[in-house]
Amino acid sequence: MGGGKKENLEGKVAPLLPAPCILLPEPLRPEPHSSHLVPRRWAVADLVSSDFPYKLSADNVFLTVGCTEAINIITTVLARPGANILLPRPGYPQYQARAAFCRLEVRYFDLLPDRGWELDLDSLESLADDNTVAMVLINPSNPCGNVFTYHHLKKVAETAKKLGIFIISDEVYAHLTFGSKPYVAMGAFASIVPIITLGSLSKRWVVPGWRLGWIVTCDPHGILQDIGIVTNIKTYLDITSNPPTFVQAAVPQILEKTKDDFYTKNLNIMKEAAEILYDRCKEIPCLTCPHKPEGTMTAMLKINFSKIEGIVDDVDFCVKLAKEESVVLLPGATVGLKNWIRITYVVDPSALKEGLSRIKSFSLRHAIQLP
Ligand SMILES: *Cc1c(COP(=O)(O)O)cnc(C)c1O
């Protein structure tokens, strides 16, 4: 830049403050290589391995910018010409979107509403071929709101082993269960098949804006290491940005010092909302909730077209409901299940009751008129 230009800029650009311009706690000054904050990775390793019989180390943990980036990394790392990945239907749209972006073919296996949203293991088996690299499981399940049992997860692990693929277990809702089934970490079955667990602070600690997530390799036989997945994750992390250092610095405190009553209080709020949803849904003729939510903050509701008229599909339902009642639901098509609805029900109980009563009015207004 020429001298004249520089002078022109003077007075227009705020002078640099003497460093450090923000008063950061000592361990943060200076930490340019945010990916190397080992104590934070240990904290995540301890948290995740407390859920199963063997211990992970910081080497198994990669910190990411939320679980969203964890998904981006893992799908990109797996993509190669001709490869495919098996995804649950209904599922979480980020997987499909990212796979399309890196030209990874997706194939869907069904989650079965009349079996408490368990996997259709037969359809899973029939989808896989030599080019299948992995399958994705979301437990506790967004969008279905169910929690998989130990027994079912073991069967899933055995099926994956038989197919020669590993499992990406999205446990962003880990421990957010309030029904009769406890949360079981898929990593508990890592001796059967390698598991890549994804998680984040967003849901359990209710800080989605803090953008801190993780990829954890649960791989006691070192298979992911041998086939180069671990190296590829490291390479990806070298060319992408890391979570902000001050959020990373807070991780051990957040994971180790959050008081139990924070968790209990949130679970009670979720449980109460789930009860309200399930009970009031029975009074809405055009919707059925096939399975009472036992975890997460979402549920799938089926539209009964035999009870309403003048509505063609799930998108039409949601558009008309928004226009007439100012209630916003997500069309099932967005999560892979046409003519269903996904509801996010964890809101203030009075708002939830009000919302559901508006959906009921909508249902009655559009009810089929018998001659
Ligand atoms: C919210 C969510 C994510 C993304 O988590 P962030 O940490 O907010 O990026 C990933 N997977 C599932 C199933 C989710 O519900």
Side-chain angles (χ1 to χ4, degrees), residues 27-44 58 61-63 212 242-252:
L28 278 176
R29 233 182 301 142
E31 280 195 33
H33 299 296
S34 51
S35 63
H36 297 158
L37 302 190
V38 175
R40 291 59 162 166
R41 290 163 53 198
W42 265 112
V44 175
V61 176
F62 306 94
L63 296 180
L212 190 122
N242 298 303
T245 45
F246 57 90
V247 179
Q248 290 195 48
V251 167

Side-chain angles (χ1 to χ4, degrees), residues 64-71 91-95 137-143 170-173 198-203 207-209 211-214 296 298 342:
T64 57
V65 184
C67 187
T68 303
E69 198 204 12
I71 297 172
Y92 187 69
Q94 180 74 14
Y95 288 94
L137 189 71
I138 304 171
N139 180 41
S141 165
N142 174 8
D170 182 328
E171 297 176 21
V172 89
Y173 285 100
L198 311 184
S200 91
L201 292 182
S202 303
K203 309 288 162 64
V207 284
R211 312 310 304 132
L212 190 122
W214 49 81
T296 77
T298 59
R342 194 201 75 158

Side-chain angles (χ1 to χ4, degrees), residues 191-241:
S191 59
I192 301 177
V193 73
I195 311 291
I196 295 184
T197 302
L198 311 184
S200 91
L201 292 182
S202 303
K203 309 288 162 64
R204 190 174 179 205
W205 289 271
V206 212
V207 284
W210 289 15
R211 312 310 304 132
L212 190 122
W214 49 81
I215 297 173
V216 174
T217 54
C218 311
D219 182 29
H221 306 305
I223 297 168
L224 298 171
Q225 183 80 44
D226 292 348
I227 60 177
I229 301 271
V230 173
T231 313
N232 284 351
I233 295 174
K234 285 185 183 151
T235 309
Y236 192 117
L237 285 170
D238 281 343
I239 56 163
T240 188
S241 61

Side-chain angles (χ1 to χ4, degrees), residues 12-28:
K12 290 184 189 154
V13 178
L16 283 178
L17 294 172
C21 57
I22 307 171
L23 286 178
L24 294 174
E26 197 57 49
L28 278 176

Side-chain angles (χ1 to χ4, degrees), residues 142-188:
N142 174 8
C144 304
N146 65 300
V147 178
F148 296 108
T149 62
Y150 181 94
H151 182 67
H152 189 66
L153 292 175
K154 187 157 182 251
K155 277 208 260 179
V156 174
E158 281 159 357
T159 309
K161 184 190 167 99
K162 193 165 135 195
L163 299 174
I165 60 178
F166 61 85
I167 300 176
I168 298 165
S169 188
D170 182 328
E171 297 176 21
V172 89
Y173 285 100
H175 295 281
L176 291 182
T177 61
F178 39 81
S180 57
K181 294 182 200 138
Y183 152 72
V184 177
M186 197 70 207

